[in-house]
Amino acid sequence: MTVEFLSEPSIRAIYKIDPSVPNDGFESVFSKVSIENIIFYIVAFGIHILERIFYTEKEKLTQYVESLRPHTEAWYVNKLKSFQLGYALNKEGGYDIIDVEAQIIKYCSLRRANGILEFRIANDAGGVPQIINENDISSINNYAIRVFDAGTHFRIFSSNPDIYRCNLLINYDPLVLDSKGKRIDGTNDTPVIDAINSYFRSFPFDSEFSNMALAHAIEKVEGVRIVQLTGSWATPPSLGEQVVISTYISRSGYMAFNEVPSAIEYVIK
C-alpha cells in the first residue's frame, strides 16, 4: 500500500517529493508517529484481522459441511456425538428435543480396521475424558444400529486411559530447583510432575503421543535445562505394557500419567 501511495504523482507533488530523487521507501518520508503512518497501520491491521476472521470462519464452515455429508467418517462421528441418553428417536431418526446435557459422548474418534468402523468414545469430567459405563454403551449401540447405514459393521467402546510411565534424567538450574525437583522459593514441590500431568490433560483425544513433545513440555518448566527420557512405557487397558520408542497411539484415545513407578533423577552438569 505504501509503495502504491508514493508512486502517485499527485501524492509526490503534495508532499513535495522530488521525482528525480530515488524513492527509498515510505519510512524515509514519514516518521513512525506521523498521522500518515498511523493511518496506514490501522488500515493494514484491520485488513489482517478481517482476513483471519474469514479464514477461521471458512475452516469452521468446511468442517460443518463435511460433518453433514452423509456416509463420511465425519458424518458418523457427528451422528454418534448427537446421541442423547434417555431420549427416544422420532420417525426421522432424530430427536424432537435437543438436550446438550444428555449428550454424554463428548469425545469421539473413528478408525477403520478390517472393514469395521471402530469408535472410541468418552464423556467429560472437568475437561478430562472419562469412561462411559457398559449400560450406556448398550444404549449407544442400539442408537447406532438405527441411525447408521444398514449393514454397517461397527464397534463402539469406551475404556479407562492408557497408563504412561517414564524414567527421566533432568539437568536443572540449582538457583531455581533443588536436587528433588522442588522450587527453592517454596511455591511448588512438584513442578515437573505438574507439567507432565498438564501435558496429558491438554492432549487432544485420540492423538499421537510423542516422547519428544513430552520432553519439550517439561523443558518449559522454569529451572529445567535439559530433559532426557531414559525410558518410556505405555499400558493400554487390559493389555500388557509396551515400550514407547518414539511415538504411541493410545488404545482408549487418551492417556494418564502414573507417577509412582516413574523414576525422575535431577542432576547438575
Side-chain angles (χ1 to χ4, degrees):
M1 289 190 298
T2 56
V3 172
E4 291 295 326
F5 179 73
L6 290 181
S7 66
E8 289 290 331
S10 59
I11 296 298
R12 297 180 69 88
I14 291 172
Y15 288 99
K16 299 178 180 180
I17 302 173
D18 188 350
S20 63
V21 178
N23 178 17
D24 292 330
F26 186 82
E27 292 78 9
S28 65
V29 180
F30 301 100
S31 70
K32 291 184 178 181
V33 294
S34 66
I35 186 65
E36 292 85 357
N37 189 69
I38 293 173
I39 290 174
F40 272 104
Y41 176 83
I42 293 173
V43 172
F45 184 75
I47 293 173
H48 170 73
I49 294 298
L50 190 61
E51 287 179 345
R52 293 302 303 171
I53 291 173
F54 282 152
Y55 176 79
T56 302
E57 292 304 316
K58 179 183 176 181
E59 288 291 307
K60 290 181 180 178
L61 183 60
T62 301
Q63 294 175 5
Y64 177 69
V65 172
E66 183 66 21
S67 69
L68 295 180
R69 288 178 56 198
H71 322 302
T72 62
E73 291 188 1
W75 179 81
Y76 279 109
V77 170
N78 190 54
K79 274 291 185 183
L80 205 57
K81 292 179 75 173
S82 297
F83 167 77
Q84 296 182 180
L85 185 64
Y87 281 77
L89 291 170
N90 56 31
K91 293 180 180 180
E92 289 74 31
Y95 295 107
D96 294 324
I97 300 174
I98 302 302
D99 183 357
V100 178
E101 294 298 322
Q103 295 175 351
I104 62 173
I105 303 176
K106 304 301 183 182
Y107 301 90
C108 180
S109 67
L110 169 60
R111 300 178 191 171
R112 294 181 182 270
N114 301 319
I116 299 176
L117 303 181
E118 287 192 351
F119 294 90
R120 289 161 176 76
I121 62 174
N123 204 333
D124 179 87
V128 178
Q130 183 181 54
I131 187 172
I132 297 175
N133 65 56
E134 288 297 326
N135 289 334
D136 294 343
I137 292 291
S138 178
S139 297
I140 294 169
N141 271 298
N142 289 325
Y143 163 85
I145 291 172
R146 295 182 60 179
V147 301
F148 286 177
D149 295 331
T152 301
H153 298 284
F154 64 89
R155 182 184 301 117
I156 300 173
F157 65 90
S158 180
S159 58
N160 289 312
D162 294 40
I163 302 301
Y164 177 79
R165 73 178 182 93
C166 62
N167 291 342
L168 294 170
L169 187 63
I170 296 179
N171 179 5
Y172 69 98
D173 183 350
L175 298 179
V176 181
L177 304 176
D178 65 14
S179 61
K180 296 186 181 298
K182 299 179 180 180
R183 284 191 59 90
I184 291 178
D185 60 12
T187 57
N188 192 343
D189 288 345
T190 57
V192 170
I193 300 298
D194 292 347
I196 297 174
N197 286 324
S198 177
Y199 170 80
F200 284 113
R201 280 196 299 269
S202 61
F203 202 65
F205 191 74
D206 205 29
S207 59
E208 185 178 61
F209 167 83
S210 164
N211 283 338
M212 184 178 295
L214 176 61
H216 287 167
I218 298 172
E219 286 176 348
K220 292 180 181 178
V221 175
E222 185 180 8
V224 172
R225 289 174 171 168
I226 302 174
V227 175
Q228 181 181 354
L229 266 78
T230 57
S232 181
W233 302 269
T235 305
S238 304
L239 296 174
E241 187 175 69
Q242 302 177 17
V243 176
V244 180
I245 302 299
S246 176
T247 60
Y248 173 77
I249 299 293
S250 64
R251 173 66 178 167
S252 63
Y254 60 113
M255 302 174 69
F257 177 58
N258 189 354
E259 177 186 351
V260 176
S262 298
I264 304 177
E265 182 180 358
Y266 296 88
V267 298
I268 302 175
K269 292 183 180 180

